[in-house]
Amino acid sequence: MGFAGGNRQYSSRLPGGAFNFITAVPHCGIQHQHDLIDLTLYQVRASRRRRTRGERGRRNWVRPWIGRRRQFGMYDQLMVELRNEGHASFTNFLRISPAMFDELLARVGPRITKQYTFYRDPLEPGMKLALALRHLASGNKYASMKFGWRVPHNTQSLVVRDVCQAIIDEYVDEVLVCPSTPESWRAVADKFFQRWNFPNTCGALDGKHVACSCPPKSGSLYFNYKGFYSIVLMALVDADYKFIWADISGTGSASDAQIYNSCELKECVP
């Protein structure tokens, strides 16, 4: 019996007088060899994938049918026809009148305007606003809207978020003013009594389940009694249907009473 490189060797006599040496490799050495083999196979596969991507390349920087947006897209064709030929159809399409659309664009446009560069021309603010309003009004998916608007679905997802945030930043201090004093709450109650004959009413409160995908590692926290995952939008309106307070932090499994007891509105109402 001898040693060679830390591995034990055992000998046995074969028929005819020859010796057969058997090397016993320790368990850790075998595992190390397996790891090296796995690493080599991974590198080979990764190299093949990189080579395949390099050979395939990118066929088009912008798909040709998307590049013809100005000639055939909804914003430059259909919306122009609706504005010139029928305001009622324009209002039905975006749920706002042309005058309201122009006012909204004038106020929100600077917030959603991108700088022109040599890289590519950005989307117009009017198109961004119209696309976002149409998505909110119809509930259509980005994948189905991209053909009519000729805007990729991943770009639409960014546009809708930017437009919604711009509208909130522009109007939140003007249209969503929650009463903060007893006198202001009393004015809301007086308006309810004058218009609807409801005494001592500080507002109409209701909630809405907004469907969402299940957040990671949330279990059944967002699963509501209707059978889908959601977040709860709870809002308060005055006698003129104007929103004066809103909360969108409730989970789908929470009840209206739980959300109300944990929000700041409970502390504000006298």
Side-chain angles (χ1 to χ4, degrees), residues 77-119:
Q77 298 297 325
L78 177 62
M79 288 191 57
V80 174
E81 295 176 356
L82 295 179
R83 181 186 288 269
N84 295 333
E85 298 176 6
H87 288 184
S89 299
F90 186 98
T91 304
N92 186 33
F93 186 67
L94 295 183
R95 299 298 191 271
I96 60 174
S97 64
M100 178 61 70
F101 179 83
D102 295 337
E103 176 187 344
L104 190 60
L105 179 60
R107 297 188 57 172
V108 179
R111 296 179 180 269
I112 58 177
T113 301
K114 301 295 184 180
Q115 183 178 2
Y116 280 85
T117 63
F118 294 103
Y119 186 59

Side-chain angles (χ1 to χ4, degrees), residues 5-208:
N7 297 333
R8 295 185 177 182
Q9 290 183 348
Y10 300 90
S11 61
S12 61
R13 187 179 296 273
L14 297 175
F19 285 90
N20 180 27
F21 290 91
I22 302 174
T23 302
V25 181
H27 177 71
C28 60
I30 296 177
Q31 184 63 38
H32 180 65
Q33 293 178 4
H34 289 174
D35 294 341
L36 290 177
I37 293 174
D38 293 339
L39 179 60
T40 303
L41 292 176
Y42 174 79
Q43 292 176 346
V44 171
R45 296 192 189 100
S47 177
R48 289 178 178 176
R49 285 195 297 267
R50 287 194 297 267
R51 186 166 57 252
T52 302
R53 284 198 297 265
E55 294 173 354
R56 182 174 57 207
R58 186 164 184 170
R59 290 171 293 184
N60 301 106
W61 179 248
V62 177
R63 291 184 175 87
W65 61 273
I66 293 179
R68 293 188 287 271
R69 182 187 303 122
R70 290 186 176 276
Q71 289 80 12
F72 305 105
M74 279 191 176
Y75 179 72
D76 295 284
Q77 298 297 325
L78 177 62
M79 288 191 57
V80 174
E81 295 176 356
L82 295 179
R83 181 186 288 269
N84 295 333
E85 298 176 6
H87 288 184
S89 299
F90 186 98
T91 304
N92 186 33
F93 186 67
L94 295 183
R95 299 298 191 271
I96 60 174
S97 64
M100 178 61 70
F101 179 83
D102 295 337
E103 176 187 344
L104 190 60
L105 179 60
R107 297 188 57 172
V108 179
R111 296 179 180 269
I112 58 177
T113 301
K114 301 295 184 180
Q115 183 178 2
Y116 280 85
T117 63
F118 294 103
Y119 186 59
R120 69 173 68 180
D121 293 339
L123 295 177
E124 300 178 17
M127 154 149 319
K128 292 182 178 181
L129 180 60
L131 191 150
L133 292 177
R134 179 57 185 170
H135 172 71
L136 297 175
S138 64
N140 291 337
K141 296 182 179 180
Y142 300 139
S144 62
M145 292 179 59
K146 69 179 181 181
F147 298 105
W149 293 88
R150 296 177 183 257
V151 178
H153 65 278
N154 53 343
T155 303
Q156 293 183 49
S157 65
L158 300 177
V159 167
V160 172
R161 296 178 187 178
D162 292 342
V163 171
C164 291
Q165 188 61 48
I167 294 175
I168 293 174
D169 295 339
E170 180 68 26
Y171 285 94
V172 63
D173 296 330
E174 177 181 337
V175 302
L176 192 63
V177 180
C178 184
S180 57
T181 61
E183 291 75 15
S184 57
W185 283 111
R186 192 173 293 109
V188 174
D190 294 341
K191 191 67 173 293
F192 258 100
F193 182 71
Q194 295 173 3
R195 184 166 184 177
W196 302 107
N197 199 26
F198 285 112
N200 302 321
T201 302
C202 295
L205 183 68
D206 198 8
K208 164 72 175 178

Side-chain angles (χ1 to χ4, degrees), residues 242-257:
K242 294 181 180 179
F243 288 95
I244 57 178
W245 176 85
D247 180 88
I248 53 174
S249 61
T251 59
S253 60
S255 63
D256 292 344

